[in-house]
Amino acid sequence: MRDYYDILNVDKNANANEIKKAYRKVAMKYHPDKNPGDKASEEKFKESAEAYSVLSDQDKKNRYDQMGHQQYQQFGSQGQGFSGGINVEDIFNSVFGGGGSFSDIFGGGDIFGGRSSRQNNSSRGNDLKITINLSLEEIFKGTTKTIKIKRWEKSNEEAIKCSECSGSGEVRFVQKSFLGQVVNVQPCSSCSGMGYRGGRIQKTAEIKINVPIGVGEGNFMTLDGEGDKSIVGSQNGNLIVYFKEKNHELFSRSNNDIYIDCLINYVDAVLGTEIKVPTLSGFVKMKVPEGINNGQLLRLKNKGINELNRHRSGSQYVRINIIIPSKINNKTKSILQDLRLNLDSETEFKKISND
Ligand SMILES: [Zn+2]
């Protein structure tokens, strides 16, 4: 059976750098832009991203090496199926430095469908990029944002073909170097690479963005045709909206799970209690069982964030911190002294465990 090492065509003892190189090679070979419409290549491209996502993460790699391929796929990735759990483009961009030529539609099905690879022609409008900051509450509920962008649109005057570059938008010049003659291509300076002059005006456009539930840092969506408008052609640029998550004053997010610390006193820890826990959907009652230990996590199922484009929610975890007061009053002190007489536990020593 093919395992992740086979998929990347790399030795089991390969180091991180070798794994990265191997992934680059496979990803380049099977990149959908290079193999348009070829399903088998697309599969291989996704497969390589999956393999790399595991082998490039030391924790995951260790687990994978321990469990073996089949076991890991079943259990190791914690129920996250491949297509749902990782974002192929994110992985690709992490290695190739972003700016990949395909658009992201949130790890869903058809990221490779439909879009022909982009030509860099001067009649096409430019893509614009913006970043939207979202609160955790907005991510939890989904939201609509209206943003203003400045973009180029057609004006009433006619665009005139640039005479310097004859409308190509670029100028070529031959340079002599020690390697011989080198042809240099640069954007035409008199038309800024547009190929024409005039005919355009910068306008402010208001654009409504429906932010889906569960987006995360690094996700982006592409609004087709909402970038700079094409002035002399028909292909408008796209607007690429990046999402950023604002820091929350109370909650920490890890994937779709929410984490929070809860401070309780030692009597409640011993006897158990009921607490009211703040969640993204309001306060929730939770039982703290008797005899709980410091650092123990309690889980509120489905109180996390709904996974993007899926009907599946994360959980909220409450970490228990037992507070030992540095000062107590005399009454408490005498109760505790009485209590000590009734406790039969003795001081013990143990080797420090690193588990
Ligand atoms: Zn020009």
Side-chain angles (χ1 to χ4, degrees):
M1 205 173 103
R2 269 156 60 82
D3 66 9
Y4 289 155
Y5 294 98
D6 298 330
I7 288 168
L8 294 186
N9 196 18
V10 77
D11 192 77
K12 283 219 160 62
N13 301 315
N15 63 31
N17 205 22
E18 287 162 338
I19 289 170
K20 192 173 185 175
K21 268 192 191 156
Y23 168 61
R24 266 173 186 270
K25 218 166 153 186
V26 178
M28 283 301 283
K29 186 170 172 193
Y30 296 113
H31 193 293
D33 278 0
K34 278 198 173 169
N35 307 275
D38 181 353
K39 283 276 162 205
S41 292
E42 185 182 319
E43 252 341 285
K44 288 207 160 104
F45 181 70
K46 288 184 183 175
E47 206 178 57
S48 66
E50 178 191 0
Y52 181 68
S53 77
V54 173
L55 297 186
S56 63
D57 180 317
Q58 197 56 49
D59 281 349
K60 287 183 186 164
K61 184 172 181 296
N62 290 346
R63 208 140 39 107
Y64 180 74
D65 289 342
Q66 259 171 27
M67 298 176 102
H69 188 72
Q70 206 171 355
Q71 280 253 332
Y72 184 85
Q73 284 217 313
Q74 251 177 312
F75 310 108
S77 48
Q78 290 164 339
Q80 301 217 309
F82 161 49
S83 54
I86 67 167
N87 183 321
V88 177
E89 291 105 294
D90 280 357
I91 291 163
F92 183 81
N93 287 340
S94 76
V95 169
F96 287 87
S101 57
F102 37 75
S103 67
D104 185 5
I105 312 193
F106 299 128
D110 63 343
I111 43 178
F112 300 109
R115 182 179 300 272
S116 58
S117 60
R118 182 156 307 144
Q119 288 166 340
N120 202 3
N121 64 26
S122 55
S123 71
R124 187 182 179 278
N126 284 319
D127 288 345
L128 299 176
K129 292 176 182 173
I130 54 152
T131 300
I132 299 186
N133 289 304
L134 298 167
S135 69
L136 211 45
E137 282 82 358
E138 287 172 326
I139 290 168
F140 179 75
K141 288 191 194 126
T143 183
T144 305
K145 293 269 179 185
T146 303
I147 50 140
K148 284 183 179 170
I149 53 159
K150 270 192 173 169
R151 68 182 178 197
W152 289 104
E153 296 183 11
K154 269 184 189 163
S155 71
N156 293 327
E157 54 164 20
E158 196 72 30
I160 300 160
K161 196 195 252 187
C162 172
S163 54
E164 293 295 317
C165 61
S166 330
S168 71
E170 53 190 32
V171 284
R172 286 157 189 273
F173 55 92
V174 177
Q175 250 182 343
K176 281 193 178 135
S177 77
F178 64 93
L179 293 171
Q181 288 198 333
V182 178
V183 178
N184 256 305
V185 181
Q186 279 193 340
C188 170
S189 60
S190 55
C191 63
S192 321
M194 307 291 293
Y196 55 87
R197 278 185 260 181
R200 59 178 194 156
I201 183 168
Q202 201 163 38
K203 285 192 174 171
T204 301
E206 264 192 18
I207 291 170
K208 218 170 109 178
I209 295 164
N210 291 314
V211 180
I213 292 173
V215 295
E217 193 91 19
N219 280 140
F220 57 100
M221 69 196 284
T222 302
L223 302 180
D224 282 336
E226 295 289 5
D228 280 341
K229 299 291 179 187
S230 174
I231 308 304
V232 293
S234 57
Q235 252 196 311
N236 297 324
N238 298 331
L239 176 64
I240 302 164
V241 183
Y242 289 85
F243 298 115
K244 231 177 137 54
E245 187 183 306
K246 290 186 208 164
N247 189 32
H248 197 278
E249 57 175 5
L250 198 53
F251 301 122
S252 304
R253 177 183 183 185
S254 171
N255 297 321
N256 296 304
D257 295 328
I258 298 293
Y259 288 80
I260 188 172
D261 263 339
C262 171
L263 283 60
I264 62 172
N265 68 51
Y266 51 98
V267 178
D268 283 342
V270 174
L271 300 179
T273 184
E274 192 174 83
I275 54 177
K276 265 167 98 184
V277 182
T279 72
L280 283 165
S281 48
F283 282 91
V284 169
K285 277 189 189 168
M286 189 177 72
K287 261 184 98 119
V288 177
E290 58 179 60
I292 195 155
N293 270 290
N294 200 40
Q296 219 170 308
L297 287 177
L298 297 173
R299 180 184 185 201
L300 289 165
K301 223 180 153 189
N302 295 327
K303 288 294 173 188
I305 293 170
N306 195 76
E307 202 176 311
L308 190 63
N309 296 337
R310 307 216 160 196
H311 298 287
R312 195 158 73 184
S313 289
S315 299
Q316 177 165 328
Y317 292 93
V318 180
R319 186 172 66 176
I320 299 297
N321 297 269
I322 300 164
I323 300 302
I324 309 294
S326 51
K327 258 189 188 163
I328 47 173
N329 61 32
N330 286 337
K331 193 181 168 200
T332 310
K333 201 172 204 168
S334 94
I335 292 170
L336 288 175
Q337 278 163 346
D338 279 353
L339 176 65
R340 180 150 69 184
L341 296 174
N342 287 300
L343 290 176
D344 48 16
S345 61
E346 276 181 28
T347 308
E348 253 186 272
F349 293 96
K350 264 169 74 179
K351 185 182 165 77
I352 294 171
S353 137
N354 284 324
D355 296 344

